[in-house]
mmCIF file of all heavy atoms in Angstrom:
data_model
loop_
_atom_site.group_PDB
_atom_site.id
_atom_site.type_symbol
_atom_site.label_atom_id
_atom_site.label_comp_id
_atom_site.label_asym_id
_atom_site.label_seq_id
_atom_site.Cartn_x
_atom_site.Cartn_y
_atom_site.Cartn_z
ATOM 1 N N VAL A 1372 150.086 163.650 78.280
ATOM 2 C CA VAL A 1372 150.419 163.916 76.883
ATOM 3 C C VAL A 1372 149.394 163.212 75.996
ATOM 4 O O VAL A 1372 149.228 161.991 76.065
ATOM 5 C CB VAL A 1372 151.841 163.413 76.558
ATOM 6 C CG1 VAL A 1372 152.156 163.613 75.068
ATOM 7 C CG2 VAL A 1372 152.866 164.135 77.431
ATOM 8 N N PHE A 1373 148.714 163.989 75.153
ATOM 9 C CA PHE A 1373 147.653 163.467 74.290
ATOM 10 C C PHE A 1373 148.132 163.389 72.840
ATOM 11 O O PHE A 1373 148.703 164.351 72.311
ATOM 12 C CB PHE A 1373 146.429 164.379 74.344
ATOM 13 C CG PHE A 1373 145.646 164.280 75.631
ATOM 14 C CD1 PHE A 1373 146.013 165.022 76.753
ATOM 15 C CD2 PHE A 1373 144.538 163.451 75.724
ATOM 16 C CE1 PHE A 1373 145.287 164.940 77.933
ATOM 17 C CE2 PHE A 1373 143.803 163.369 76.902
ATOM 18 C CZ PHE A 1373 144.178 164.109 78.015
ATOM 19 N N LEU A 1374 147.854 162.248 72.209
ATOM 20 C CA LEU A 1374 148.132 162.042 70.784
ATOM 21 C C LEU A 1374 146.797 161.841 70.073
ATOM 22 O O LEU A 1374 146.043 160.918 70.396
ATOM 23 C CB LEU A 1374 149.026 160.813 70.580
ATOM 24 C CG LEU A 1374 150.325 160.768 71.384
ATOM 25 C CD1 LEU A 1374 151.101 159.489 71.063
ATOM 26 C CD2 LEU A 1374 151.178 161.994 71.134
ATOM 27 N N HIS A 1375 146.513 162.683 69.112
ATOM 28 C CA HIS A 1375 145.206 162.702 68.445
ATOM 29 C C HIS A 1375 145.080 161.597 67.402
ATOM 30 O O HIS A 1375 146.035 160.881 67.072
ATOM 31 C CB HIS A 1375 144.985 164.069 67.791
ATOM 32 C CG HIS A 1375 145.978 164.374 66.707
ATOM 33 N ND1 HIS A 1375 145.844 163.894 65.429
ATOM 34 C CD2 HIS A 1375 147.127 165.118 66.723
ATOM 35 C CE1 HIS A 1375 146.871 164.330 64.695
ATOM 36 N NE2 HIS A 1375 147.657 165.069 65.451
ATOM 37 N N GLY A 1376 143.885 161.514 66.851
ATOM 38 C CA GLY A 1376 143.593 160.538 65.811
ATOM 39 C C GLY A 1376 143.669 161.134 64.409
ATOM 40 O O GLY A 1376 143.888 162.326 64.219
ATOM 41 N N TRP A 1377 143.462 160.263 63.436
ATOM 42 C CA TRP A 1377 143.436 160.620 62.009
ATOM 43 C C TRP A 1377 142.061 161.197 61.704
ATOM 44 O O TRP A 1377 141.056 160.614 62.121
ATOM 45 C CB TRP A 1377 143.666 159.334 61.200
ATOM 46 C CG TRP A 1377 143.715 159.482 59.721
ATOM 47 C CD1 TRP A 1377 144.822 159.620 58.942
ATOM 48 C CD2 TRP A 1377 142.599 159.441 58.807
ATOM 49 N NE1 TRP A 1377 144.470 159.681 57.612
ATOM 50 C CE2 TRP A 1377 143.112 159.579 57.509
ATOM 51 C CE3 TRP A 1377 141.222 159.322 58.975
ATOM 52 C CZ2 TRP A 1377 142.310 159.588 56.377
ATOM 53 C CZ3 TRP A 1377 140.396 159.344 57.859
ATOM 54 C CH2 TRP A 1377 140.942 159.476 56.571
ATOM 55 N N PRO A 1378 141.981 162.306 60.998
ATOM 56 C CA PRO A 1378 143.022 163.167 60.452
ATOM 57 C C PRO A 1378 143.004 164.547 61.120
ATOM 58 O O PRO A 1378 143.112 165.571 60.433
ATOM 59 C CB PRO A 1378 142.594 163.270 58.995
ATOM 60 C CG PRO A 1378 141.061 163.335 59.095
ATOM 61 C CD PRO A 1378 140.670 162.590 60.348
ATOM 62 N N VAL A 1379 142.801 164.604 62.438
ATOM 63 C CA VAL A 1379 142.525 165.877 63.108
ATOM 64 C C VAL A 1379 143.788 166.439 63.777
ATOM 65 O O VAL A 1379 144.859 166.436 63.181
ATOM 66 C CB VAL A 1379 141.330 165.729 64.078
ATOM 67 C CG1 VAL A 1379 140.033 165.567 63.284
ATOM 68 C CG2 VAL A 1379 141.494 164.553 65.039
ATOM 69 N N SER A 1380 143.693 166.953 64.992
ATOM 70 C CA SER A 1380 144.830 167.585 65.670
ATOM 71 C C SER A 1380 144.578 167.555 67.170
ATOM 72 O O SER A 1380 143.550 167.034 67.630
ATOM 73 C CB SER A 1380 145.005 169.034 65.198
ATOM 74 O OG SER A 1380 143.946 169.856 65.704
ATOM 75 N N HIS A 1381 145.489 168.162 67.935
ATOM 76 C CA HIS A 1381 145.323 168.194 69.389
ATOM 77 C C HIS A 1381 144.050 168.923 69.796
ATOM 78 O O HIS A 1381 143.536 168.714 70.898
ATOM 79 C CB HIS A 1381 146.539 168.875 70.044
ATOM 80 C CG HIS A 1381 146.471 170.367 70.011
ATOM 81 N ND1 HIS A 1381 146.880 171.123 68.919
ATOM 82 C CD2 HIS A 1381 146.022 171.264 70.942
ATOM 83 C CE1 HIS A 1381 146.680 172.400 69.172
ATOM 84 N NE2 HIS A 1381 146.171 172.524 70.386
ATOM 85 N N LYS A 1382 143.493 169.743 68.896
ATOM 86 C CA LYS A 1382 142.285 170.507 69.239
ATOM 87 C C LYS A 1382 141.079 169.610 69.503
ATOM 88 O O LYS A 1382 140.106 170.054 70.107
ATOM 89 C CB LYS A 1382 141.959 171.496 68.119
ATOM 90 C CG LYS A 1382 142.972 172.626 67.971
ATOM 91 C CD LYS A 1382 142.583 173.540 66.822
ATOM 92 C CE LYS A 1382 143.602 174.640 66.609
ATOM 93 N NZ LYS A 1382 143.245 175.495 65.435
ATOM 94 N N MET A 1383 141.151 168.359 69.058
ATOM 95 C CA MET A 1383 140.026 167.455 69.329
ATOM 96 C C MET A 1383 139.848 167.209 70.824
ATOM 97 O O MET A 1383 138.778 166.799 71.266
ATOM 98 C CB MET A 1383 140.217 166.114 68.608
ATOM 99 C CG MET A 1383 141.344 165.241 69.159
ATOM 100 S SD MET A 1383 141.215 163.519 68.610
ATOM 101 C CE MET A 1383 139.789 162.988 69.533
ATOM 102 N N PHE A 1384 140.884 167.463 71.618
ATOM 103 C CA PHE A 1384 140.837 167.246 73.068
ATOM 104 C C PHE A 1384 140.422 168.512 73.823
ATOM 105 O O PHE A 1384 140.757 168.678 74.986
ATOM 106 C CB PHE A 1384 142.197 166.760 73.570
ATOM 107 C CG PHE A 1384 142.640 165.451 72.972
ATOM 108 C CD1 PHE A 1384 143.741 165.397 72.138
ATOM 109 C CD2 PHE A 1384 141.963 164.279 73.253
ATOM 110 C CE1 PHE A 1384 144.167 164.198 71.592
ATOM 111 C CE2 PHE A 1384 142.378 163.070 72.716
ATOM 112 C CZ PHE A 1384 143.482 163.029 71.875
ATOM 113 N N GLU A 1385 139.692 169.394 73.163
ATOM 114 C CA GLU A 1385 139.292 170.665 73.780
ATOM 115 C C GLU A 1385 138.619 170.461 75.137
ATOM 116 O O GLU A 1385 138.884 171.201 76.092
ATOM 117 C CB GLU A 1385 138.348 171.415 72.842
ATOM 118 C CG GLU A 1385 137.794 172.692 73.440
ATOM 119 C CD GLU A 1385 136.966 173.495 72.451
ATOM 120 O OE1 GLU A 1385 137.226 173.427 71.225
ATOM 121 O OE2 GLU A 1385 136.048 174.203 72.910
ATOM 122 N N TYR A 1386 137.746 169.466 75.242
ATOM 123 C CA TYR A 1386 136.974 169.298 76.469
ATOM 124 C C TYR A 1386 137.785 168.644 77.581
ATOM 125 O O TYR A 1386 137.379 168.682 78.745
ATOM 126 C CB TYR A 1386 135.684 168.526 76.176
ATOM 127 C CG TYR A 1386 134.824 169.267 75.185
ATOM 128 C CD1 TYR A 1386 134.708 168.841 73.868
ATOM 129 C CD2 TYR A 1386 134.172 170.442 75.556
ATOM 130 C CE1 TYR A 1386 133.940 169.547 72.944
ATOM 131 C CE2 TYR A 1386 133.401 171.158 74.641
ATOM 132 C CZ TYR A 1386 133.297 170.703 73.342
ATOM 133 O OH TYR A 1386 132.539 171.419 72.429
#
Side-chain angles (χ1 to χ4, degrees):
V1372 176
F1373 287 85
L1374 307 180
H1375 63 82
W1377 182 96
V1379 289
S1380 71
H1381 81 276
K1382 292 179 182 177
M1383 70 163 290
F1384 299 114
E1385 175 174 331
Y1386 299 106

